[in-house]
Amino acid sequence: MSDVLLQVRELKKYFPVRGGLFRRTQAQVRAVDGVDLELQAGQTYGLVGESGCGKSTLGRAILRLHDPTGGQVLLDGTDITQLDRQALMPYRRRMQMIFQDPYASLSPRRTVAQTLREPLDLHRIGTPAERDERVRELLDVVGMGPRALNRYPHEFSGGQRQRIGIARALALDPSLIVADEPVSALDVSVQSQVLNLVADLQRERGISFLFIAHDLAVIQHVSNVVGVMYLGKIVESGSASAVYRGPKHPYTKALMSAIPVPDPTRGRSRIVLEGDVPSPRNPPPGCPFHPRCPQAMDRCRSEVPVLKRPAGAETGHVVSCHLYD
Amino acid sequence: MTEPLLRVRDLAVEFDTEQGVVRAVDGVSFDIYPEETVGLVGESGCGKTVTGLSLLGLIPQPPGRIAGGSIEFGGRDLVQTSEDEMREIRGSDISMIFQEPMTALNPVFTIGTQMVDVLRLHKPLSAAQARREAIDMLGHVGIPAPARRIEEYPHQLSGGQRQRVMIAMALSCGPKLLVADEPTTALDVTTQAQVLEQINKLQEEFRMAVILVTHDLGVVAETCRRAMVMYCGKIVETAPIEELFARPRHPYTMGLLNSIPRIHEQRPERLPVIPGRVPDLLHLPPGCRFAARCERVLDRCRAEQPELSGRDSAAACFNPEPA
Ligand SMILES: Nc1ncnc2c1ncn2[C@@H]1O[C@H](COP(=O)(O)OP(=O)(O)OP(=O)(O)O)[C@@H](O)[C@H]1O
Ligand code: SF4
Ligand SMILES: [Mg+2]
């Protein structure tokens, strides 16, 4: 159980904001600002947060689709942030990505067979005949028949396109898949089909997922471990059962209470947060959440809280909030 | 008993496409009573927005047209009303807000200019009076420092604030009916909670009826009194929400409710799913449109189309779930 596949340490990704006469760098957007996380082999880490909080940037920095500004990403103990292109190749194979928009992520001019064969050809996996066989098998894994092979993306529904995207990510037998909002664009009845597929792949093939979503209910269905992100930082993380049973951070609590519940008989006291998420270009001093926090105290405005295990919380459940100091 | 504010009968809307004529809304009937909030729910492509647009005479023509039916409102049939008269009605009697407020706001004018224009189009106000009303209205929808905000351009506002501005504009002439099309879908959950609360508050304050178009049954449960479920261009079930959520009668409603991921104490191993997919509007089956995905299907369902009969609660189904 304690086979650590992925370790992220103090990961940072800043984007320069240019402006002025000479387009000099005037500021930094701290999209990811010092993130630590750990993912065991065969488990799913659910990363949740609102738009602009840095979820996608974090996912991309882990895959080195962005070069990180600082920190380490260890895959099976090797820091891949330091590898050159050549040395990175074998690691690239082991890490794949699934995107939010199944429309944009598939080439409209390629048939499904061509799309699925591409990574196999690129990495010269097996003989051509074996590659064809593998393509069929991949379609089968995601629940689509061989009839799909010679068709183009526009001939499929959103849910089917997402399955094709998943099949492509599986082509090279990855150990880690970063799935960035893979079901957000799908209708509920299709969304549940895709979520079940992700759960099956994790269970049957031992693939680890970093599953990014803004929907806490979706995250609960697939995750073993959960991290809540706000303004470039993880503000709470722990086992899914601990976080969902006893959320600690006021932001996590507000997120949970904001979800509309499909049960009209359930009376509820909702925590409605004031204001919007501040810009990561200009993060507030102290606790990044203090301007919206219903429980903010004086020290929250000046002192930055760090992730700590609150008294009584289970091992691994950590929160960055002064309420628990 | 009060008279309905809006009475829609057998509404049909068609679009010409390269592959043929698509009937996006096919024989939809419903009533909306004054001051009620009604949810119109369903998955993408089922005809929710088209239904909403037809109420305001906003179906783009060509390629679309209202192919049949009537929309009774304020003693006349909006299907037969001229575009000039519809322009009068839009904004003053019936308003609509959309998912992406940025597309509905003009980026080159300030919020104030746009609001003053709308107000003066419908009311005999001086520019100064209209401006005062606009500021008042912005304050009403929860925009802080409205007198300053009114000078800003749409891009200077956050998504949640833009949606509030849209709501302020839509309500500025006191409409009797507001059609809100996925007003919070583009927003984050915490902002969505703010905006929904605002819509609920304004609905009471302005005593208007609201048709809330959404794909999110959670949103419906929390804001509506009654809901209509659409599938493939038809309303398949309508009921007061307590009833709809506690005892859905249509197998599609049942499937939809079951497949929503919810936060559970103990998470289930698998999410229930509705097998298969929504049929293509160009190749609809002869009988019930849900038949191919339905667990309760009978022979009859494949041959005949079930009708929605009944007033307050009804399901268009030959073999409904037991009550
Ligand atoms: N290439 C870039 N240049 C400048 N800023 C960027 C760039 N990419 C991302 N950002 C900024 O970084 C922040 C985080 O972006 P990111 O896309 O990672 O957020 P997210 O949480 O995934 O958002 P969403 O849920 O909307 O996709 C945002 O403020 C965004 O504007
Ligand atoms: S009419 Fe028949 S097929 Fe259609 S929903 Fe009812 S039982 Fe299912
Ligand atoms: Mg993102």
Side-chain angles (χ1 to χ4, degrees):
Chain A
M1 250 290 275
S2 58
D3 253 355
V4 181
L5 174 74
L6 175 74
Q7 257 180 308
V8 174
R9 292 197 191 134
E10 274 298 297
L11 193 65
K12 294 191 174 109
K13 178 63 194 173
Y14 297 172
F15 292 105
V17 180
R18 292 176 206 283
L21 197 52
F22 302 103
R23 302 202 40 81
R24 274 193 302 248
T25 299
Q26 294 197 318
Q28 305 268 7
V29 179
R30 303 178 166 208
V32 173
D33 198 14
V35 165
D36 292 282
L37 66 83
E38 209 172 86
L39 177 54
Q40 314 283 329
Q43 300 230 321
T44 297
Y45 187 106
L47 184 65
V48 68
E50 297 180 275
S51 63
C53 74
K55 311 182 291 295
S56 301
T57 307
L58 175 57
R60 293 173 154 270
I62 288 173
L63 297 183
R64 268 197 71 184
L65 297 174
H66 285 317
D67 274 324
T69 308
Q72 295 179 311
V73 176
L74 284 77
L75 194 71
D76 276 338
T78 307
D79 182 3
I80 61 165
T81 60
Q82 302 305 321
L83 302 179
D84 61 24
R85 267 185 70 111
Q86 195 64 38
L88 193 60
M89 269 299 258
Y91 291 93
R92 276 260 149 86
R93 246 183 87 169
R94 301 185 49 201
M95 307 187 296
Q96 295 295 322
M97 186 143 183
I98 303 171
F99 300 90
Q100 168 168 3
D101 187 352
Y103 301 82
S105 64
L106 296 173
S107 162
R109 283 172 217 291
R110 291 215 185 102
T111 62
V112 171
Q114 287 167 332
T115 294
L116 296 183
R117 258 197 78 134
E118 192 193 349
L120 300 171
D121 291 339
L122 198 72
H123 288 268
R124 303 209 183 85
I125 311 284
T127 64
E130 282 166 347
R131 288 177 204 165
D132 286 341
E133 185 46 39
R134 176 85 179 130
V135 166
R136 285 164 185 276
E137 186 191 302
L138 288 168
L139 275 181
D140 187 54
V141 170
V142 298
M144 291 177 72
R147 255 168 45 97
L149 283 172
N150 296 312
R151 293 162 69 192
Y152 292 88
H154 75 263
E155 299 175 59
F156 295 96
S157 68
Q160 289 174 311
R161 280 186 252 214
Q162 199 53 285
R163 285 169 192 271
I164 298 166
I166 295 173
R168 178 179 57 185
L170 293 175
L172 299 171
D173 260 329
S175 1
L176 172 68
I177 293 181
V178 173
D180 190 5
E181 303 266 10
V183 296
S184 315
L186 306 177
D187 279 320
V188 278
S189 78
V190 186
Q191 180 175 309
S192 46
Q193 295 173 358
V194 175
L195 288 175
N196 284 341
L197 173 62
V198 166
D200 290 344
L201 290 171
Q202 187 215 357
R203 208 175 29 242
E204 289 160 17
R205 312 198 150 216
I207 299 172
S208 304
F209 282 87
L210 176 66
F211 193 102
I212 301 174
H214 64 274
D215 185 331
L216 272 164
V218 164
I219 287 281
Q220 189 194 20
H221 273 278
V222 292
S223 309
N224 306 100
V225 183
V226 176
V228 180
M229 201 164 171
Y230 191 79
L231 276 184
K233 292 188 160 75
I234 304 273
V235 296
E236 175 159 7
S237 79
S239 72
S241 57
V243 173
Y244 282 87
R245 210 171 297 138
K248 302 273 189 238
H249 199 286
Y251 178 61
T252 315
K253 290 182 186 174
L255 265 187
M256 288 211 182
S257 92
I259 302 173
V261 179
D263 179 0
T265 59
R266 214 187 86 155
R268 56 167 30 217
S269 50
R270 165 167 289 161
I271 311 166
V272 174
L273 291 179
E274 300 288 317
D276 298 305
V277 184
S279 159
R281 211 188 266 216
N282 206 350
C287 169
F289 187 58
H290 88 256
R292 302 176 77 199
C293 180
Q295 287 162 280
M297 307 169 288
D298 271 347
R299 62 187 288 216
C300 306
R301 289 177 248 284
S302 53
E303 239 178 276
V304 181
V306 294
L307 279 172
K308 267 195 264 195
R309 179 160 71 100
E314 73 168 50
T315 315
H317 189 175
V318 291
V319 186
S320 64
C321 170
H322 291 309
L323 289 171
Y324 300 95
D325 281 349
Chain B
M1 192 166 172
T2 39
E3 280 293 296
L5 176 69
L6 177 81
R7 204 192 294 258
V8 176
R9 288 292 173 273
D10 295 319
L11 182 69
V13 184
E14 291 180 348
F15 290 91
D16 294 323
T17 71
E18 273 175 33
Q19 289 85 35
V21 177
V22 163
R23 201 166 251 242
V25 171
D26 190 11
V28 157
S29 303
F30 60 88
D31 293 336
I32 302 291
Y33 288 87
E35 299 177 43
E36 69 169 347
T37 304
V38 181
L40 183 59
V41 281
E43 298 180 87
S44 61
C46 73
K48 306 181 293 290
T49 296
V50 172
T51 303
L53 289 174
S54 34
L55 304 182
L56 288 97
L58 287 175
I59 299 291
Q61 200 174 348
R65 66 191 157 268
I66 294 191
S70 60
I71 301 171
E72 265 177 64
F73 180 87
R76 57 177 149 188
D77 180 0
L78 301 184
V79 173
Q80 308 300 334
T81 303
S82 73
E83 173 52 27
D84 278 348
E85 283 173 285
M86 278 313 294
R87 211 170 291 132
E88 275 294 302
I89 292 172
R90 278 200 291 272
S92 65
D93 289 321
I94 308 181
S95 282
M96 186 154 176
I97 54 178
F98 301 89
Q99 173 170 349
E100 198 11 91
M102 207 52 195
T103 54
L105 289 167
N106 190 327
V108 302
F109 294 113
T110 63
I111 303 300
T113 310
Q114 299 185 56
M115 289 191 72
V116 165
D117 282 355
V118 172
L119 277 164
R120 296 189 70 196
L121 188 71
H122 295 290
K123 288 186 186 177
L125 294 175
S126 72
Q129 284 169 325
R131 197 184 133 83
R132 266 198 304 279
E133 272 202 24
I135 292 175
D136 201 45
M137 199 62 217
L138 286 177
H140 243 78
V141 299
I143 300 262
R148 201 180 74 229
R149 278 304 160 105
I150 201 167
E151 304 300 344
E152 294 186 356
Y153 291 86
H155 75 262
Q156 292 174 281
L157 305 176
S158 70
Q161 284 174 335
R162 282 201 287 265
Q163 198 52 284
R164 285 170 195 267
V165 168
M166 280 312 302
I167 295 170
M169 279 171 79
L171 301 193
S172 57
C173 297
K176 297 188 197 72
L177 174 65
L178 174 70
V179 180
D181 188 358
E182 305 268 8
T184 57
T185 305
L187 306 177
D188 282 318
V189 276
T190 60
T191 318
Q192 162 165 289
Q194 297 167 358
V195 171
L196 289 177
E197 197 151 280
Q198 194 74 48
I199 292 178
N200 268 347
K201 195 182 117 228
L202 294 167
Q203 185 271 331
E204 279 172 28
E205 210 176 301
F206 286 74
R207 310 180 70 104
M208 60 184 176
V210 177
I211 299 179
L212 186 69
V213 174
T214 176
H215 66 280
D216 188 334
L217 282 158
V219 168
V220 170
E222 293 200 353
T223 47
C224 301
R225 203 184 64 77
R226 200 155 65 80
M228 309 184 282
V229 181
M230 273 188 98
Y231 188 73
C232 272
K234 288 186 172 294
I235 294 181
V236 294
E237 180 160 15
T238 175
I241 58 153
E242 290 78 11
E243 204 179 306
L244 190 81
F245 284 80
R247 291 177 303 279
R249 302 296 311 278
H250 199 284
Y252 174 64
T253 314
M254 181 69 125
L256 215 48
L257 280 171
N258 284 339
S259 56
I260 308 174
R262 312 171 190 227
I263 292 186
H264 291 271
E265 281 286 304
Q266 202 64 49
R267 90 170 172 209
E269 209 23 55
R270 295 181 76 70
L271 279 166
V273 301
I274 304 178
R277 54 187 284 208
V278 179
D280 185 342
L281 286 176
L282 280 163
H283 302 103
L284 288 171
C288 172
R289 295 174 180 185
F290 191 59
R293 307 175 75 187
C294 183
E295 284 176 359
R296 303 182 60 83
V297 62
L298 310 172
D299 282 345
R300 184 182 179 194
C301 310
R302 297 208 176 85
E304 262 176 80
Q305 288 211 18
E307 294 296 324
L308 192 71
S309 53
R311 269 184 75 89
D312 292 332
S313 344
C317 174
F318 293 125
N319 186 21
E321 308 280 346

